[in-house]
Amino acid sequence: MKKIVIVGGGTAGWMSALVMAREWIKKGFVVSLLESPEVGIIGVGEGSTPALKMFFDALDIKEDEWMPECNATYKCGITFENWSTRPGYESYFHPFSAALDRQSLPIFMHNVQARLRGADLYTHPDRFFISSRIAKQCLAPVAPESFPFDVHYGYHFDAVLLGKFLRKKATERGVNHIYGHVAEVKQYESGDIISLITDKGNVIEADFFVDCTGFSSLLIQKTLKIPFISYSNNLLNDAAVAMPTEIGEKIPSETLSTALKHGWAWKIPLTNRYGNGYVYSSAFCSADEAECELRERLGILDADIPVRHLKMKIGRVQEHWVNNCLAVGLSQGFIEPLEATALFLVQQTVAVFAEYFAKGEFTDRNRNDFNQRINGHFDGVRDYIVTHYKTSSRTDTEYWRANTANQQDISPVMQELYSGWMEGKDLAAEVSRLKIGSYYPAPSWYCILSGMGILPNAQQMRKPTADEACFDMNALDDFLRRCTLNFSDHRYILNKMTNA
């Protein structure tokens, strides 16, 4: 196992190449990437989780090197608008974690648990987290060295430019870049892949192949015939339309997700533009209707702005590592981009594969354990995404009524978690018991369930006891307000980085 060929460029391909180059080129491996000049890159996903910072840190790639090249901005979290119609809960912010949460998170969790028991306490998540306050003021989540508390953050970026940057770094670090379009795949009787034949007749052999061919899934599905497990019973959206708009002087440090008639719209700030899109279900809305609704929302109904229409295949393959092939990115599966998890799943797949492959002395010894672990990540992310729809109180269109009515396909784990919440059980303990905290930790579950207003209504409330009302919310507000003063304007920080 000394020769690895990655098939397909784009973000997934070049991220895989960089990780494998870091791990194995120094051990004598040859890592190559075969990219087809005939296959375009999807290039729409423009948001990440904090895992992307960990990726760049591990590769010793600094923010001032990659962010300006990719028109990138900082991301503190996601605001969800109009997902709930419950009074006071029409909008909430899902924050990334921060060191200061050690002070505010226990108060939030205490208040929520008490409210579930009927105590009239404040529980909207936005008030409890420093990341929410940073985002609302269009600040950058990068504090001066004199401020001793880290704030975790993700990024927004131009996906096409990011792919180009990663390609440049990978080739600098020893990855061979080959252009060619695969016309045929040769296999042994065992199913292992022998070689790829390009349309020019070139033969490309390797010991191991990585399928980054996107939704076409050339190797893992078309060649190795691995079944695809659809999530369409859980998640109805299967299409999207995307278009850019201008951005003003202020640059938000959050993604905006707004529920619309037949799905939801994203709004992602870059340094030079907004990226906008509408994720919808084609069973309830045509592509033209979706484009019209998005244009109308953006105030550009008759503007000559180009759009991209995309189809999405929602689900995952049954196995991600089969024979001498690993699927990464869209070829292995996709969950709609509501929580910007696509790159996180790419990173998890490649990092865990590198760990298991080396631990098994570059054999398939740990393949079954690997597949089970990655399937767990996909299904865990799916369950969190599904929760957005199951907790929505919208009933204004057939689409939303179908989402909330579809209860039979909720996973058993989620049924237990939802039941525990409604019964007032300790949610953090339930997340630990159900072993789902590695996908989304307890604070995320508190945020979504309280942020959507899944709480006893005002008529059911009673005056809290002294023990229940033990925290001073005004003192918390003042503490977080003073901490927020340490952070600077988002555009100012980005300009400073660019001009350094």
Side-chain angles (χ1 to χ4, degrees), residues 151-171:
V151 175
H152 294 165
Y153 53 82
Y155 305 98
H156 307 111
F157 49 83
D158 184 310
V160 173
L161 294 180
L162 180 62
K164 292 179 179 178
F165 176 85
L166 296 174
R167 177 178 63 196
K168 178 181 73 173
K169 300 305 293 186
T171 53

Side-chain angles (χ1 to χ4, degrees), residues 241-245 291 295 300 303-309:
V241 55
M243 64 183 71
T245 55
E291 180 180 336
R295 283 183 175 275
I300 53 171
D304 185 20
I305 296 177
V307 301
R308 295 186 65 192
H309 287 275

Side-chain angles (χ1 to χ4, degrees), residues 29 98 107-108 154 264 300 309 327 345 357 398 431 467 479 488 490:
F29 281 65
I107 303 174
F108 174 51
W264 59 275
I300 53 171
H309 287 275
L345 290 168
F357 199 38
E398 186 182 350
V431 168
D467 286 342
F479 170 70
S488 300
H490 194 187

Side-chain angles (χ1 to χ4, degrees), residues 343-405:
L343 290 190
F344 166 75
L345 290 168
V346 167
Q347 290 174 248
Q348 282 297 115
T349 300
V350 179
V352 175
F353 172 76
E355 174 192 343
Y356 280 43
F357 199 38
K359 191 189 300 182
E361 298 177 337
F362 305 104
T363 69
D364 62 1
R365 185 184 307 162
N366 297 314
R367 187 173 64 198
N368 290 339
D369 289 343
F370 167 85
N371 284 324
Q372 184 176 359
R373 184 167 167 183
I374 299 303
N375 284 342
H377 276 291
F378 267 84
D379 294 348
V381 170
R382 175 206 60 196
D383 284 345
Y384 192 77
I385 301 300
V386 165
T387 302
H388 288 274
Y389 296 96
K390 300 310 176 191
T391 56
S392 174
S393 56
R394 289 188 62 146
T395 58
D396 53 309
T397 64
E398 186 182 350
Y399 168 84
W400 286 106
R401 291 190 290 273
N403 267 297
T404 53

